[in-house]
Structure formats: structure tokens, C-alpha cells
């Protein structure tokens, strides 16, 4: 990170009129796009950034990181202010629509509070990704496509220079981890359906990225091996340090019955000999099962920051 790494001037970033934010219609075009390259590059950069590091370790927390956490705290507070309503069906509580309407209304303002004044023109485009990242208000569901929108939101903040190279650990450990907490609260409070879930054949009903970054955290750990994450005692003792184990804890809180039955894919992963193999396998699986599956990616938005144009570099 040299001091030359300044944000590109705004007019260069935002040449695409707002109406041109469009969605995927052609998978081959998506995989060749600048957006796909930038998104995947961002995921892999963070994967390296958190390698072998605990959630509880020390890292730099910049002002934009603090502001992003404040934004997520606001979303959390709105859940408390919007209790679930009495309704006949068990899943998909309609109060989520009330909560979402508030975000829809306030998203640009929330984003404007995170980015500096001279980048104000970016707020409408960046806010699109924030609104997409919390689930679907019609179907009251949430899945890996929504999670991808949040990663894209963070990627856009990096592209305009709000987040910097030395924010990597804080992006995952402070911001993304807080996002996960808020999403889990949404899922529990409004009994959200998993979006496009493959049921028992999927990795998890709702998330994927914390398993990738969480397995990277565990690479070269002196004592914890993949076989240990199915051990309740190990999970209880170490979940505050490792995102992967925090995910396992949440699954076991939400699901009953033998782990091998309700989370078969994860059970299979526990037989992999090393965390670096788990990490590599999850990255391949993420591309194949999430980024290259039409139902997941059909809602992905493109604009001037994450363009659909083919990769130039």
C-alpha cells in the first residue's frame, strides 16, 4: 500500500446512468465480466488477509469501518423496533416487509453517512447493493445471493477508495461479522425461508462466505483440525475466535437431530485432512454452487462500479 493509492475521481467512476444498473441474463457473459473478476478478486484477497488470524486478534479499525458498524447497528435496532406480527403461517413473518421498507427508504442516507462528501455521487449506486443484501421482501427469504450483494457492497466501497488495503482484516472480522449477526437475527426474528436452498445437499441454508474465510482463519492451526468442528465441546470453546465455528454453532442452535443428517455436506468436509484443502475446496464449490448458478446470480446488479463488460485487464 503506497500513498499513491488514492480513489479515482468521481466522474470516472460514475459514468453509467442509474437506469443502466442491470441484472444477469447470460451466465457466460457474467463469468467473463469485469464484475465477476473484481468480485472474485475481492473475496480471494480477503481470504488471504485473514489467513491464520483469530477474530479476537488486534487489527486496525479505520473511521469508515466504524461507520459501517454503526450502519449495521442501525439495522439491528430497527429489528427491535419492528417485532414479528401474529399470523397463521409459521415462516416468513410479514413484519419483515415493514423492516425492509424502512431500509429501502433510508439506504441512500445510510450509505451517504459512510462515504466522504466528495464521493456523494456514488451513494445511489452503492446503496443498491446494501438493499439487495438483506433478503427478499416479497418472498421473505434470504440466501447466498443476498450475502453476495453485501460482499459486492463492500467491494464497491473499496473500488471508490473508502475502504483501503489495510482495512482487510477489519472488513471481515468487524464489518462482515457484524453483518452475519444482524442477518442471523433477521432469520430468527422473521423466520425467513432459505432462498434457493439445496436443502440437505447445500453447505448451509443461508451463508457461504464465512465458511471460506473461516476455514482460512484455521489454516495451520496448531491443534484444531477439520475433524474437530463436529465436536460440540471444541465449538463451544473456540467459536468466538473463528467464524467457521460460529457458523457451526448457529446451525446446531437452529436445527435438531444428528449433525450428519441435517448438514451432510459439512459433515463430509470434516473428513478433509487439512484446513487449506477445505479452503481450496470451498472456493471451488462457491464458484460452482453459488456464482455459477442462475437462481443465485440472476438478481446480481451491474453498474459503473461492477460492470458487465468483459474483463479488460
Amino acid at each position: 500500500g503506497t500513498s499513491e493509492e488514492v480513489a479515482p475521481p468521481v466522474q470516472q467512476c460514475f459514468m453509467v446512468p442509474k437506469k443502466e444498473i442491470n441484472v444477469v441474463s447470460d451466465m457466460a457473459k457474467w463469468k467473463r465480466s469485469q464484475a465477476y473478476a473484481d468480485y472474485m478478486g475481492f473475496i480471494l484477497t480477503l481470504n488471504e488477509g485473514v489467513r491464520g488470524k483469530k477474530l479476537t486478534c488486534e487489527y486496525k479499525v479505520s473511521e469508515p469501518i466504524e461507520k459501517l458498524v454503526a450502519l449495521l447497528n442501525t439495522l439491528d435496532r430497527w429489528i427491535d423496533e419492528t417485532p414479528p406480527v401474529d399470523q397463521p403461517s409459521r415462516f416468513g413473518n410479514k413484519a419483515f416487509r415493514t423492516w425492509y421498507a424502512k431500509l429501502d427508504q433510508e439506504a441512500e442516507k445510510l450509505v451517504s453517512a459512510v462515504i466522504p462528501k466528495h464521493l456523494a455521487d456514488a451513494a445511489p449506486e452503492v446503496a443498491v447493493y446494501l438493499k439487495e443484501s438483506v433478503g427478499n421482501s416479497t418472498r421473505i427469504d434470504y440466501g447466498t445471493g443476498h450475502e453476495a450483494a453485501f460482499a459486492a457492497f463492500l467491494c464497491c466501497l473499496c473500488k471508490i477508495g473508502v475502504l483501503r488495503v489495510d482495512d482487510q482484516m477489519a472488513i471481515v472480522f468487524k464489518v462482515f461479522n457484524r453483518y452475519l449477526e444482524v442477518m442471523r437475527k433477521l432469520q430468527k426474528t422473521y423466520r425467513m425461508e432459505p432462498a434457493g436452498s439445496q436443502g440437505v445437499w447445500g453447505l448451509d441454508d443461508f451463508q457461504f462466505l464465512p465458511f471460506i474465510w473461516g476455514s482460512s482463519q484455521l489454516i495451520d492451526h496448531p491443534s484444531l483440525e477439520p475433524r474437530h468442528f463436529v465436536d460440540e465441546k471444541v465449538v463451544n470453546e473456540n467459536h468466538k475466535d473463528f467464524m467457521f465455528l460460529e457458523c457451526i454453532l448457529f446451525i446446531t442452535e437452529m436445527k435438531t437431530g444428528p449433525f450428519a443428517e441435517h448438514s451432510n455436506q459439512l459433515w463430509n468436509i470434516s473428513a478433509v485432512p487439512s484446513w487449506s484443502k477445505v479452503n481450496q475446496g470451498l472456493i471451488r464449490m462457491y464458484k460452482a454452487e453459488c456464482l455459477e448458478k442462475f437462481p443465485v446470480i440472476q438478481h446480481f446488479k451491474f453498474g459503473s462500479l461492477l460492470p458487465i463488460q468483459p474483463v479488460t485487464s
Side-chain angles (χ1 to χ4, degrees), residues 110-130:
L110 289 172
V111 170
S112 297
V114 174
I115 60 183
K117 292 262 188 296
H118 71 280
L119 293 171
D121 293 354
E125 188 171 329
V126 177
V128 169
Y129 295 101
L130 179 64

Side-chain angles (χ1 to χ4, degrees), residues 32 34 309-313:
R32 286 196 305 271
Q34 190 64 51
Q309 282 74 26
V311 173
T312 45
S313 51

Side-chain angles (χ1 to χ4, degrees), residues 64-75 77 110 178:
I65 293 286
E66 296 282 17
K67 287 178 174 175
L68 282 166
V69 172
L71 181 158
L72 290 164
N73 290 343
T74 300
L75 301 189
R77 192 182 75 244
L110 289 172
R178 185 71 185 107

Side-chain angles (χ1 to χ4, degrees), residues 111-149:
V111 170
S112 297
V114 174
I115 60 183
K117 292 262 188 296
H118 71 280
L119 293 171
D121 293 354
E125 188 171 329
V126 177
V128 169
Y129 295 101
L130 179 64
K131 288 190 281 192
E132 291 281 317
S133 74
V134 296
N136 181 289
S137 66
T138 310
R139 296 189 304 274
I140 313 182
D141 66 5
Y142 174 93
T144 48
H146 302 112
E147 178 190 72

Side-chain angles (χ1 to χ4, degrees), residues 226-245:
R227 65 190 171 90
H228 290 123
F229 78 73
V230 291
D231 179 335
E232 206 179 323
K233 185 170 180 285
V234 171
V235 172
N236 288 333
E237 285 171 5
N238 297 282
H239 70 93
K240 286 190 165 64
D241 284 328
F242 300 104
M243 210 171 239
F244 194 102
L245 302 181

Side-chain angles (χ1 to χ4, degrees), residues 73-216:
N73 290 343
T74 300
L75 301 189
D76 190 319
R77 192 182 75 244
W78 290 349
I79 302 174
D80 297 333
E81 292 166 4
T82 319
V85 294
D86 275 336
Q87 62 176 46
S89 67
R90 195 164 136 238
F91 284 98
N93 195 283
K94 291 183 180 66
F96 175 71
R97 291 180 184 147
T98 311
W99 180 91
Y100 183 85
K102 191 157 182 147
L103 173 62
D104 196 36
Q105 207 183 340
E106 303 281 330
E108 277 187 39
K109 203 162 92 184
L110 289 172
V111 170
S112 297
V114 174
I115 60 183
K117 292 262 188 296
H118 71 280
L119 293 171
D121 293 354
E125 188 171 329
V126 177
V128 169
Y129 295 101
L130 179 64
K131 288 190 281 192
E132 291 281 317
S133 74
V134 296
N136 181 289
S137 66
T138 310
R139 296 189 304 274
I140 313 182
D141 66 5
Y142 174 93
T144 48
H146 302 112
E147 178 190 72
F150 191 74
F153 164 70
L154 296 172
C155 181
C156 288
L157 291 175
C158 286
K159 287 194 83 167
I160 60 174
V162 173
L163 297 173
R164 310 249 165 183
V165 176
D166 56 0
D167 286 318
Q168 280 177 36
M169 283 170 66
I171 290 171
V172 179
F173 292 171
K174 211 157 176 70
V175 179
F176 193 81
N177 207 40
R178 185 71 185 107
Y179 164 75
L180 285 177
E181 288 168 2
V182 177
M183 292 309 104
R184 285 172 186 142
K185 188 167 171 177
L186 278 180
Q187 290 153 22
K188 272 181 170 164
T189 306
Y190 304 121
R191 304 293 306 237
M192 296 177 81
E193 300 267 16
S197 166
Q198 298 160 304
V200 75
W201 304 113
L203 187 67
D204 176 78
D205 283 343
F206 299 109
Q207 314 296 159
F208 203 114
L209 291 173
F211 292 97
I212 294 179
W213 296 331
S215 59
S216 180

